[in-house]
Structures are given as structure tokens and as C-alpha cells.
Amino acid sequence: MSGTPTTALDLGALRETPGDDRRRAFETFLCRNLAQHLDIPPAHRIARNRPLYTQGIDSLTALTLQRTLESALNIPVPAHHLLREQSVGELAATLSDLVDRT
């Protein structure tokens, strides 16, 4: 999957995308959206392996991200997945599993 946009994801295409490629697409999408939500300067990056809460995700930001994900994927994303001590990579794997279940 080339160039994942920050505003939408093609759920049908994601379902057809192999596991590792799908997870990477989610990681890219999450990093871009988190950078926007957290107002990260362009010279900095979201760390894919650090827990989200250590990068500035609080409960309000998690709820905003939840709405963004649900809108982009058109599937429910339980908030507890965003509030646990998950990294971007772990959340991407969780989202990949959610896509498989819908």
C-alpha cells in the first residue's frame, strides 16, 4: 500500500493487504495523525516502540484519536486500546486484528 493518507484508509484494500504490510500502513497512519494531534514539530518523530502515554497521549487525545480511527476505518475502535501502555507498533497490530474481525 503506497502513501497512506492521514484522513482516510481504504478498509477494503487493508483487508487484502498482507499482515506486515497492513501493520506498517497502520503505523504510518498513526504516526502522521499523532504528530498532528500532538502538534509535533516537523523535525521530530513519533517513536514507534515507545508507549503512547510517554509521547503525550492523554485521555482527551486518545478520544480524539479514537474518533479519527473510527472515521477512517468505519469500524468501532474501543478506547481502552488507546489508553493502555501500547506503542504505535502494538496499536497498529491491534488495529490490524480489528480489521480482520469486521
Side-chain angles (χ1 to χ4, degrees):
M1 176 176 244
S2 64
T4 306
T6 59
T7 56
L9 290 170
D10 182 344
L11 189 57
L14 282 170
R15 283 194 174 106
E16 301 298 320
T17 303
D20 285 343
D21 291 339
R22 184 190 311 169
R23 192 193 81 252
R24 280 191 292 277
F26 276 123
E27 285 180 359
T28 299
F29 180 82
L30 287 166
C31 286
R32 287 179 182 169
N33 276 278
L34 285 169
Q36 290 175 353
H37 287 302
L38 297 173
D39 198 26
I40 304 291
H44 295 82
R45 293 188 175 166
I46 298 291
R48 294 175 188 237
N49 297 321
R50 283 184 34 215
L52 294 173
Y53 76 90
T54 67
Q55 299 185 70
I57 296 292
D58 59 14
S59 58
L60 291 175
T61 308
L63 290 173
T64 302
L65 181 60
Q66 176 191 23
R67 285 191 292 275
T68 298
L69 291 170
E70 289 178 340
S71 176
L73 296 172
N74 203 24
I75 62 172
V77 177
H80 70 272
H81 288 300
L82 305 172
L83 296 172
R84 297 186 339 208
E85 293 188 15
Q86 287 189 324
S87 66
V88 168
E90 291 166 331
L91 180 55
T94 298
L95 292 173
S96 185
D97 288 344
L98 288 173
V99 167
D100 282 338
R101 290 186 224 154
T102 60

